[in-house]
Amino acid sequence: QVQLVESGGGLVQAGGSLRLSCAASGRTFSSYAMGWFRQAPGKEREFVASISWSGGNTRYADSVKGRFTISRDNAKSTVYLQMNSLKPEDTSVYYCSAARLSETVVAGHATYWGQGTQVTVSS
């Protein structure tokens, strides 16, 4: 079992920034690809970003490319999502996920998921 706990969500004005964190425990964190998804009320879960176990490869949804940055610190067993230039349409619950393969994370079939953290962007 791998436990994932997100934090850092909150209320921010459009154009502002937030930094989300996802702390992992229970298994060897460095061996997992990690990712962030989001889900707004009435909508399907949407891929946001992913990072390989080595940190050498990252992927982003077109809607956040250039504004969001995913990173990881294996020594701290933590993955981050730096969100800049936030827009009201970014409002959602953000979920952290983990799987052995990056492709599995991107496809939305990650083995492990966190409980989510709310991000609200006001206009």
Side-chain angles (χ1 to χ4, degrees):
Q1 293 287 336
V2 173
Q3 304 298 129
L4 304 176
V5 181
E6 303 95 334
S7 63
L11 175 65
V12 65
Q13 292 185 339
S17 299
L18 284 174
R19 183 179 175 86
L20 305 184
S21 298
C22 174
S25 64
R27 296 290 177 86
T28 304
F29 175 79
S30 61
S31 67
Y32 286 85
M34 305 291 295
W36 289 95
F37 280 71
R38 64 188 183 185
Q39 187 168 26
K43 297 185 178 181
E44 295 184 354
R45 193 181 300 251
E46 175 189 21
F47 168 76
V48 177
S50 68
I51 186 168
S52 62
W53 69 267
S54 67
N57 292 294
T58 58
R59 302 178 190 179
Y60 298 92
D62 288 341
S63 60
V64 306
K65 192 173 298 182
R67 299 188 298 122
F68 291 10
T69 302
I70 188 171
S71 62
R72 66 190 297 161
D73 186 338
N74 289 347
K76 297 181 178 180
S77 297
T78 302
V79 63
Y80 305 95
L81 185 67
Q82 178 65 48
M83 305 185 295
N84 299 326
S85 302
L86 283 163
K87 305 174 181 179
E89 49 262 46
D90 294 319
T91 295
S92 187
V93 176
Y94 284 72
Y95 297 91
C96 178
S97 63
R100 290 287 184 174
L101 301 175
S102 293
E103 291 83 355
T104 303
V105 171
V106 174
H109 299 136
T111 306
Y112 303 101
W113 295 87
Q115 292 183 288
T117 184
Q118 177 71 48
V119 172
T120 302
V121 184
S122 62
S123 60

